[in-house]
């Protein structure tokens, strides 16, 4: 059951959150003040006898504002939870993609020729020094590892990278790696021969040529260092969010804040299940969101979760900053009126507020009509009271519209931020992916078998190299082919049997010559992203490294790895699309990878093929200067939220290795159609707004009251004595006959009688204007009752007869059914608009003369 709190009903799930929503509380206080005004006006209305028609309106506004506050609270909570979800999901997904590469590394490194030969040879300090130098060389390329440990079959530690007193490894992981039927062993916990604290390690057995186990190789992943880098990228400065990687049992594996979420802290598993978004930790309440990984190529990681926390006192105070300020009123109106971005309930509140205000305006207008010409002592007071009631209604609706508008702006800004976040995710994953490619080619070039065969070629050697390349390629599925070539650029071996025709062919690409010119194992070369026959004439990247002689550093040849860019980049973009609460991609959204020249590298949308120019140009230099960006662009008739992020590299890759390639990730999501008539909507009622406090003629001056209304930009009126009342346009019945060239709109039953309703705009030659406030004004015209469709009701001012300027003084036209015009002024004597006073008798007579009977018959 909803809970009543501070004057309005709320969902019980929001009860503990709403007191932290300062914006909601501010609006509540405004509504409370307005409600006090309504109470005062109701009392005054009862004293004057004019409260009958406002009681229902007051109650309707009270119910509406309560509903609005409830919706605002829910949307505010959902926005904060979405922000947490994005960060937590990104954190765990980036980590799992990184760990996927580690599962391949251990398989390859355990098959390294030098490592196998060391375990087969007698123990010696020289052999240990040599293999530990290889480990240092490996970590110089793969800085994600803090230690590499080589253990023989008996558990003796034969070599390692980091200093540690342990001489033997008796942990069960050694036995598991020796006997497991899998491709690797992944373990997180205390490992006695690694460290005194928990570590994430990958292990696999080293086998001889006959597949008999010789020992176990262990890679120790720099988990804390990696998580620190992930958190740093996801949490901007001054962000109150705390991120963590946690086990399903609630153990914090790593946290962005060592005080709030230190590693080893135990959380209640129920806090990770989402039943209650609020958890208590260290005497503080947090909004919490835990997310499982989406996995990568079937690999789901160690089973950990991404966790996002934000203190309740700060959860709802993060404004939209520059993003919100960039959303102009016209753009916001176009987006909110056409897009399915907002709940039906919230849109209904806005429509309901306008409908209530329309009913109130009509009640006030009719009440003023009834007071017109009255000499009763309280008539003037009643008029003032009625317009104060109308003013209270307008203020209430204005606050409703302002609060909804602020929320709409927040929602749009959140989608923009989501696009920016997903673009940043895409480019980060791409950089991390290519970091591995730059490292792989350099490490594999160190394989002793390759150097031996290139130094002394033989059919058997070429076959061995092909087998090694095939084994590597089976572990690293991100490559379409691995190629070994000699100093002449002639292919010696390939990993894929289907590409065996390349053996013996010379590589003519310019990157082959660049590769042979490399002089150290720390350098690599990479091709441009361009079509190549090595990838079926599709565009891709080829990473290369030189295979060097053990003595003298002379290049014996090179290794080229052909990145399977099409599915790999496509998978990155598919995982980077902005999504809804259910995790489904937002309809119409797309993501791109674009090079420095604006050419598409990869696309999630077939409309934008690889090699074409980006449909949304982004200047890489601007991104480099200003950082990731978010904005709104018009594209193919739609307003699009667009996020962009520039490649910044990862660890050594593109930061200190000399390689540079400007690549931009773009994510876009449609917000709504661009209105064809944007900015051209006719303002209703603008002319008369300044006359709310029009001059009251002096005592003794001949005057009359005018019932005014608006059609488009025109301010019109008729003598109040000729008006019966204004009624709702709802219930207007179409005529069964056509008459008067479309002047007849139909008929409206009024006091049991059908009244013909005319389109006054057409009769006067005024362009039709659409309005949600259209009303029917019932008048007495030439002895007949007629209805006039107007766009909005106006004031009922009292006009001095001397202020009416007859139409004959202004124009020679005699067919305009008007008495004249009045140049109105407000209480300060300033011009307040030009009012045209219609002559209802001439209007009725004209209708009679130009098909009036036919019009009436058509209505009847």
């Amino acid at each position: 059951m909803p809970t009543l709190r501070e004057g309005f009903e709320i969902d019980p799930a929001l009860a503990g959150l709403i007191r932290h929503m300062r914006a909601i509380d501010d609006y509540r206080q405004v509504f409370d003040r307005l409600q006090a005004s309504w109470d005062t006006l109701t009392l005054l209305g009862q004293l004057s006898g004019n409260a009958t028609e406002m009681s229902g309106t007051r109650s309707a506004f009270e119910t509406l504002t309560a509903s609005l506050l409830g919706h605002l609270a829910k949307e505010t909570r959902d926005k904060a939870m979405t922000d947490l979800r994005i960060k937590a999901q990104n954190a765990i997904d980036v980590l799992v993609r990184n760990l996927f590469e580690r599962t391949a590394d251990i398989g390859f490194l355990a098959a390294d020729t030098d490592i196998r030969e060391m375990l087969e040879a007698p123990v010696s300090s020289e052999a240990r020094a040599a293999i530990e130098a290889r480990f240092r060389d490996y970590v110089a390329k793969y800085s994600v590892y803090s230690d590499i440990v080589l253990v023989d079959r008996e558990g003796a530690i034969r070599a390692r990278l980091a200093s540690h007193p342990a001489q033997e490894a008796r942990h069960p992981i050694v036995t598991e790696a020796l006997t497991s039927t899998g491709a690797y062993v992944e373990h997180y916990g205390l490992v006695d021969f690694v460290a005194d604290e928990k570590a994430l390690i990958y292990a696999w057995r080293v086998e001889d040529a006959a597949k008999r186990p010789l020992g176990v190789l262990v890679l120790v992943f720099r988990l804390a260092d990696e998580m620190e880098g992930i958190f740093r990228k996801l949490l901007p400065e001054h962000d109150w969010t705390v991120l963590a990687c946690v086990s399903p049992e609630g153990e914090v594996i790593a946290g962005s804040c060592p005080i709030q979420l230190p590693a080893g802290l135990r959380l209640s598993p129920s806090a990770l299940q989402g039943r209650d978004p609020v958890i208590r930790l260290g005497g503080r309440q947090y909004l919490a969101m835990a997310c499982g990984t989406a996995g990568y190529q079937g690999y789901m990681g160690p089973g950990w979760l991404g966790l996002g926390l934000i203190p309740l006192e700060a959860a709802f105070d993060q404004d939209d900053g520059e993003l919100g300020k960039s959303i102009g009123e016209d753009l916001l109106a176009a987006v909110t009126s056409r897009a399915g971005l907002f709940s039906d309930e919230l849109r209904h509140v806005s429509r309901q507020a306008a409908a209530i205000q329309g009913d109130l305006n009509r009640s006030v207008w009719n009440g003023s009509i009834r007071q017109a010409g009255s000499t009763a002592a309280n008539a003037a007071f009643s008029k003032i009271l009625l317009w104060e009631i109308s003013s209270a209604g307008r203020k209430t609706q204005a606050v409703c519209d302002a609060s909804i508008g602020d929320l709409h702006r927040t929602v749009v800004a959140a989608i923009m931020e989501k696009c920016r976040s997903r673009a940043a995710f895409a480019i980060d994953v791409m950089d991390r992916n290519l970091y591995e490619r730059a490292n792989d080619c350099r490490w594999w070039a160190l394989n002793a078998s390759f150097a031996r065969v290139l130094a002394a070629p033989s059919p058997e050697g070429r076959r061995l190299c092909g087998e090694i390349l095939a084994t590597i390629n089976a572990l690293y599925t991100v490559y379409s082919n691995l190629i070994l070539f000699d100093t002449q650029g002639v292919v010696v071996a390939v990993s894929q049997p289907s590409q065996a025709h390349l053996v013996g062919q010379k590589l003519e690409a310019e990157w082959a010559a660049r590769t042979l010119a490399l002089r150290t194992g720390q350098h690599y070369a990479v091709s441009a992203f361009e079509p190549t026959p090595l990838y079926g004439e599709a565009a891709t990247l080829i990473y290369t490294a030189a295979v060097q002689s053990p003595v003298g550093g002379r290049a014996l040849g090179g290794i080229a790895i052909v990145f399977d860019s099409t599915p790999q980049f496509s998978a990155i973009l598919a995982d980077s699309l902005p999504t809804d609460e259910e995790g489904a991609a937002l309809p119409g959204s797309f993501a791109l990878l674009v090079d420095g020249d604006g050419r598409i590298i990869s696309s999630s949308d077939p409309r934008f093929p690889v090699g074409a120019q980006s449909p949304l140009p982004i200047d890489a230099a601007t991104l480099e200067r200003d950082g990731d960006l978010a904005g709104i662009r018009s594209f193919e008739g739609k307003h699009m939220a667009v996020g962009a992020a520039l490649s910044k590299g990862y660890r050594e890759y593109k930061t200190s290795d000399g390689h540079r390639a400007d690549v931009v990730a773009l994510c876009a999501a449609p917000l709504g159609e661009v209105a064809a008539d944007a900015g051209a909507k006719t303002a209703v009622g603008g002319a008369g707004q300044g006359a709310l406090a029009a001059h009251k003629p002096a005592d003794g001056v001949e005057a009359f009251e005018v019932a005014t209304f608006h059609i488009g930009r025109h301010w019109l009126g008729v003598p109040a004595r000729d008006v019966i009342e204004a009624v709702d346009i709802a219930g207007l019945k179409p005529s069964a006959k056509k008459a008067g060239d479309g002047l007849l709109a139909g008929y409206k039953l009024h006091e049991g009688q059908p009244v013909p309703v005319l389109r006054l705009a057409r009769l006067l030659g005024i362009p039709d204007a659409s309005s949600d406030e259209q009303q029917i004004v019932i008048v007495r015209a030439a002895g007949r009752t007629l209805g006039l469709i107007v766009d909005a009701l106006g004031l009922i001012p009292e006009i001095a007869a001397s202020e009416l300027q007859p139409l004959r003084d202004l124009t020679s036209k005699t067919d305009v059914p008007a008495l004249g015009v009045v140049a109105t002024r407000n209480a300060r004597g300033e011009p307040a608009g030009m009012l045209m006073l219609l002559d209802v008798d001439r209007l009725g007579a004209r209708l009679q003369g130009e098909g009036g009977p036919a019009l009436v018959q058509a209505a009847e």
Side-chain angles (χ1 to χ4, degrees):
M1 293 292 291
T3 303
L4 188 66
R5 183 186 180 278
E6 297 187 357
F8 63 93
E9 292 184 342
I10 59 172
D11 188 317
L14 294 170
L17 304 178
I18 202 164
R19 63 190 178 89
H20 299 284
M21 300 176 182
R22 292 184 177 85
I24 304 300
D25 192 58
D26 289 344
Y27 279 121
R28 182 192 60 77
Q29 293 182 39
V30 173
F31 283 130
D32 284 349
R33 290 193 293 270
L34 287 170
Q35 195 62 45
S37 297
W38 280 110
D39 294 341
T40 301
L41 292 171
T42 300
L43 177 61
L44 292 174
Q46 290 171 343
L47 294 175
S48 67
N50 283 296
T52 304
E53 291 186 88
M54 69 166 284
S55 58
T57 303
R58 172 186 176 278
S59 176
F61 265 130
E62 184 176 13
T63 302
L64 179 71
T65 55
S67 174
L68 172 61
L69 288 170
H71 287 309
L72 290 175
K74 177 181 179 297
E75 296 282 354
T76 300
R77 177 201 62 189
D78 291 349
K79 191 257 183 186
M81 295 300 290
T82 296
D83 184 61
L84 276 181
R85 181 183 295 108
I86 290 172
K87 293 172 181 175
Q89 190 73 63
N90 283 359
I92 192 63
D93 284 346
V94 168
L95 175 64
V96 166
R97 281 177 174 269
N98 189 314
L99 298 185
F100 169 77
E101 299 284 350
R102 312 291 67 89
T103 66
D105 286 354
I106 188 63
F108 163 73
L109 196 56
D112 184 87
T113 303
D114 292 341
I115 293 175
R116 184 187 74 240
E117 291 177 348
M118 179 196 176
L119 289 178
E120 291 176 326
V123 176
S124 73
S125 58
E126 293 81 4
R128 177 167 184 149
I131 206 66
E132 288 179 348
R134 286 293 302 277
F135 290 167
R136 285 192 293 273
D137 198 2
Y138 185 75
V139 171
K141 299 173 178 63
Y142 295 87
S143 59
V144 295
Y145 298 115
S146 62
D147 198 4
I148 302 175
V149 185
L150 182 61
V151 182
D152 66 19
R153 224 176 3 229
E154 287 71 36
I157 296 176
R158 298 284 297 272
R160 72 180 309 155
L161 179 65
S163 175
H164 194 280
Q167 298 298 315
E168 294 183 331
R170 299 301 180 191
H171 193 276
I173 193 174
V174 175
T175 302
E176 184 179 356
L178 286 170
T179 60
S180 173
T181 58
Y184 60 90
V185 173
E186 183 179 58
H187 176 80
Y188 176 75
L190 289 172
V191 180
D192 57 350
F193 64 89
V194 171
D196 295 331
E197 56 189 23
K198 290 183 177 180
L200 177 62
I201 64 176
Y202 291 83
W204 196 237
R205 58 181 169 267
V206 180
E207 298 175 333
D208 62 16
K211 303 298 182 183
R212 292 176 301 217
L214 297 171
V216 172
L217 186 72
V218 177
L219 298 179
V220 183
F221 183 64
R222 297 176 64 187
L223 179 62
D225 175 75
E226 177 64 16
M227 294 309 304
E228 181 184 355
I230 292 174
F231 296 148
R232 187 169 57 248
K233 281 199 172 184
L234 292 175
L235 297 176
E237 192 177 2
H238 307 307
D239 194 328
W240 284 74
T241 305
V242 185
L243 292 176
C245 178
V246 299
S247 72
E249 296 73 34
E251 179 186 357
V252 176
I253 308 300
S256 64
C257 177
I259 297 175
Q260 297 176 85
L261 284 177
L265 178 69
R266 286 278 180 177
L267 302 174
S268 169
S270 62
L272 308 177
Q273 296 169 2
R275 288 193 291 267
D276 186 347
V278 178
I279 68 171
R280 290 169 176 80
L281 183 63
R284 200 176 197 181
Q285 289 183 307
Y286 294 84
L287 204 62
M289 171 60 68
C291 300
T293 179
Y296 183 61
Q297 295 195 10
Y299 172 71
M300 302 302 292
W304 298 335
L305 305 172
L307 175 66
L309 301 180
I310 187 168
L312 276 187
E313 63 266 28
F316 311 109
D317 285 347
Q318 302 189 78
D319 60 30
D320 305 313
E322 295 302 318
L323 290 186
K325 295 175 184 176
S326 69
I327 305 171
E329 294 298 330
D330 291 343
L331 175 60
L332 188 66
V335 168
T336 56
S337 64
R338 289 169 170 80
L341 304 175
F342 315 103
S343 67
D344 292 336
E345 295 88 351
L346 195 59
R347 290 198 296 271
H348 176 70
V349 168
S350 185
R351 292 192 295 267
Q352 192 177 359
I356 294 171
Q357 181 61 36
D359 290 342
L360 177 62
N361 288 343
R362 186 171 58 253
S363 296
V364 169
W365 201 80
N366 288 334
S368 297
I369 288 293
R370 287 192 294 271
Q371 298 293 331
S374 173
T375 58
N378 67 343
F381 172 77
S382 295
K383 287 183 182 180
I384 294 173
L385 176 60
L386 286 168
W387 287 108
E388 285 299 321
I389 292 171
S390 180
S391 176
R394 285 194 298 274
K395 290 177 181 177
T396 304
Q397 184 186 8
V399 176
C400 287
D401 290 344
S403 60
I404 293 172
D406 285 348
L407 183 59
H408 284 175
R409 181 173 279 103
T410 296
V411 171
V412 173
I415 295 174
M416 294 164 65
E417 179 58 40
K418 184 180 293 186
C419 288
R420 174 162 63 184
S421 172
R422 299 313 289 169
F425 172 82
I427 207 68
D428 187 32
V429 170
M430 186 205 75
D431 280 342
R432 288 166 174 269
N433 193 313
L434 299 184
Y435 160 84
E436 303 289 345
R437 313 296 65 94
N439 293 343
D440 288 348
C441 65
R442 289 182 290 167
W443 179 252
W444 298 340
L446 297 177
N447 189 292
S449 295
F450 294 158
R452 292 169 188 165
V453 171
L454 289 174
S458 68
E460 180 62 26
R462 286 191 288 269
R463 183 190 61 78
L464 174 62
C465 289
E467 291 176 353
I468 295 174
L469 292 176
T471 299
I472 295 172
N473 209 163
L475 293 169
Y476 294 83
T477 56
V478 298
Y479 300 112
S480 68
N481 199 13
L482 309 180
I483 302 170
L484 183 68
F485 57 94
D486 63 18
T487 55
Q488 303 303 311
V490 176
V491 176
V492 173
V494 297
S495 65
Q496 296 291 346
S498 62
Q499 300 295 306
H501 63 277
L502 294 175
V503 175
Q505 293 186 18
K506 184 175 182 179
L507 300 173
E508 301 291 350
E510 58 82 26
W511 48 259
R514 277 195 289 127
T515 304
L516 295 171
L518 299 173
R519 288 292 176 262
T520 74
Q522 282 301 103
H523 293 90
Y524 66 93
V526 59
S527 73
F529 185 82
E530 59 189 8
T532 171
L534 299 178
Y535 194 55
E537 298 300 341
T540 192
L541 295 168
I542 299 175
Y543 284 82
T544 67
V547 178
Q548 296 172 330
S549 170
V551 180
R554 180 175 58 90
L556 299 173
I559 185 168
I561 56 180
V562 183
F563 182 49
D564 197 4
S565 63
T566 299
Q568 293 301 315
F569 284 157
S570 294
I572 291 173
L573 294 183
D575 290 345
S576 302
L577 290 172
T579 59
D580 59 19
E581 300 304 313
E582 305 301 321
L586 295 178
S589 62
F590 61 86
L592 306 172
L593 291 175
V594 180
D595 69 14
D597 295 325
R599 291 181 305 150
I600 294 173
I601 293 174
S602 184
S603 167
S604 69
D605 192 320
R607 293 179 300 166
F608 316 122
V610 173
Q613 285 295 122
S614 170
L616 299 169
I618 301 290
D619 181 34
T622 300
L623 277 176
E624 187 169 21
R625 183 189 68 236
D626 300 337
D628 303 345
L629 65 80
I632 295 178
R633 298 277 190 90
S634 294
F635 175 67
E636 293 186 342
K638 293 182 175 63
H639 291 295
M640 303 289 292
V642 178
L646 178 67
S647 170
K648 302 179 181 68
Y650 170 66
R651 292 187 178 270
E652 303 81 22
Y653 178 67
K654 295 208 303 187
T655 61
S656 60
D657 62 5
H659 176 54
R660 177 184 175 89
D662 287 339
V663 179
V664 174
L666 293 173
C667 283
L671 297 172
E673 303 290 332
V674 175
D677 59 345
K681 294 187 72 172
T682 302
V684 174
Q689 295 307 310
L692 287 174
H695 278 305
K696 179 176 176 60
D699 292 341
V701 173
E702 182 183 356
F704 60 94
E705 290 180 287
V706 179
T708 72
F709 41 81
H710 303 275
I711 299 179
R713 296 181 179 275
H714 299 271
W715 189 23
L716 309 170
V718 295
R721 62 178 178 272
D722 296 327
V723 176
I724 300 174
E725 66 174 335
V727 296
D728 192 353
I729 199 171
L732 179 66
K733 303 295 183 183
S735 172
K737 302 178 183 179
K738 300 294 182 182
D741 297 326
L743 293 180
L744 178 66
Y747 69 89
K748 173 82 175 181
L749 283 177
H750 182 253
E751 296 181 352
Q753 297 298 316
V755 175
V757 177
L758 308 179
R759 295 185 176 92
L760 184 57
R762 296 192 184 182
L763 181 65
L764 299 176
I766 299 173
D768 289 338
S770 61
S771 169
D772 295 332
E773 305 175 30
Q774 281 191 327
Q775 312 270 341
I776 297 175
V777 176
I778 307 295
V779 298
R780 303 179 190 89
R784 185 177 301 281
T785 302
L786 296 175
L788 308 174
I789 294 180
V790 302
D791 288 337
L793 300 173
L795 308 172
I796 304 181
E798 190 172 1
I799 304 295
S802 60
E803 293 180 356
L804 177 64
Q805 189 169 1
L807 200 63
R808 62 176 179 271
D809 295 346
L810 302 174
T811 178
S812 59
K813 292 184 178 181
T814 59
D815 58 344
V816 180
L819 296 172
V821 297
V822 177
T824 62
R825 294 185 176 275
N826 61 22
R828 295 187 298 274
E830 300 165 340
M834 188 69 70
L835 169 66
M836 176 178 284
L837 184 64
L838 300 177
D839 186 337
V840 293
D841 289 335
R842 289 181 63 194
L843 182 63
R846 177 173 173 179
L847 291 175
Q848 288 281 58
E850 298 184 11
L855 293 177
V856 175
Q857 291 171 10
E860 296 173 348

